[in-house]
Amino acid sequence: GLAHMVMSSKLNVDLRVLVCAVENSISGDAFRPGDILTARNGITSEIGNTDAEGRLVLADALVAACEESPDMLIDCATLTGAGRVALGTDVAAVFVNDDEVAHKLHVCSAQESDHTWRLPLFKGYKKMLDSKFADMSNIGNAPYGGAITAALYLERFVSQGTKWIHVDFMAYNTASRPGRPEGGEAMGMRALFRMLKETYGTK
């Protein structure tokens, strides 16, 4: 949706879209708790929870995207249930490593009534990803702060100096409302598009 809006509006950007889809499924060669996986950039992850598979694929996509030195990197994922627990079903959690970009997104979110809320990349929680056998675990070692530890995990795969927005959303309407029927919802899409348009303009 967002990519289509960017292309159809001819924003002044060179757009690259990576679709990092993954399915959690059982098979003879599926990874198991305790396995060590090596990412595209060489960082190793101990599998603490096989249900945290999305971030493993997303991590590789972030590394691949950073190889082209983008000015801005945006990922959108139905990554955690913790984000939904923190903010409810109608507000997308966003993590941003640049305060100016975060402020622009916050303003655009309010202007579009497309609700997002910034959560912190709190460095104090990094220790929750510690592993004795790998560079880090793919899951936090405590039952709280899950959206934050997931974002901190992904941050390790973003190149220094790259402006990065991570959107952790439910992407689903639990009930029908005017203009927003029950079912899949592109949460944050209008806010992100407005921010990109105001930042980069059109060709």
Side-chain angles (χ1 to χ4, degrees):
L2 178 59
H4 178 74
M5 293 172 74
V6 168
M7 291 184 288
S8 63
S9 299
K10 294 182 169 49
L11 295 195
N12 189 29
V13 298
D14 292 323
L15 178 68
R16 184 186 184 194
V17 179
L18 301 178
V19 180
C20 39
V22 62
E23 181 180 25
N24 189 345
S25 183
I26 297 172
S27 74
D29 58 358
F31 59 77
R32 297 170 173 81
D35 284 354
I36 307 294
L37 301 185
T38 303
R40 183 182 179 97
N41 62 351
I43 290 177
T44 56
S45 296
E46 179 183 1
I47 304 303
N49 188 329
T50 57
D51 197 36
E53 82 287 353
R55 68 195 64 181
L56 299 170
V57 177
L58 181 52
D60 271 349
L62 292 174
V63 174
C66 287
E67 290 169 359
E68 295 193 1
S69 302
D71 181 63
M72 185 180 294
L73 176 59
I74 301 172
D75 77 74
C76 301
T78 52
L79 198 67
T80 71
R84 183 173 71 246
V85 170
L87 298 178
T89 60
D90 294 339
V91 183
V94 296
F95 297 85
V96 190
N97 66 356
D98 181 283
D99 289 339
E100 182 179 351
V101 172
H103 177 69
K104 285 183 179 179
L105 180 58
H106 178 72
V107 171
C108 291
S109 172
Q111 291 171 333
E112 292 292 327
S113 296
D114 189 12
H115 305 296
T116 65
W117 194 258
R118 187 185 187 186
L119 294 181
L121 288 162
F122 178 58
K123 307 308 180 188
Y125 287 170
K126 280 187 174 182
K127 60 183 179 292
M128 295 167 65
L129 294 170
D130 286 350
S131 167
K132 294 180 180 179
F133 309 105
D135 293 318
M136 57 181 169
S137 173
N138 78 324
I139 195 80
N141 61 13
Y144 41 77
I148 297 175
T149 55
L152 289 171
Y153 176 86
L154 294 174
E155 188 181 29
R156 288 285 302 274
F157 301 91
V158 177
S159 298
Q160 289 289 328
T162 300
K163 298 172 187 175
W164 173 54
I165 300 173
H166 164 56
V167 185
D168 185 350
F169 53 14
M170 184 174 173
Y172 191 89
N173 291 324
T174 57
S176 293
R177 290 167 293 173
R180 296 185 178 181
E182 181 178 352
E185 172 70 22
M187 298 172 68
M189 181 175 68
R190 298 188 311 280
L192 287 166
F193 174 74
R194 182 164 186 154
M195 182 210 63
L196 291 173
K197 185 175 182 180
E198 292 184 1
T199 300
Y200 297 106
T202 57
K203 293 179 180 178

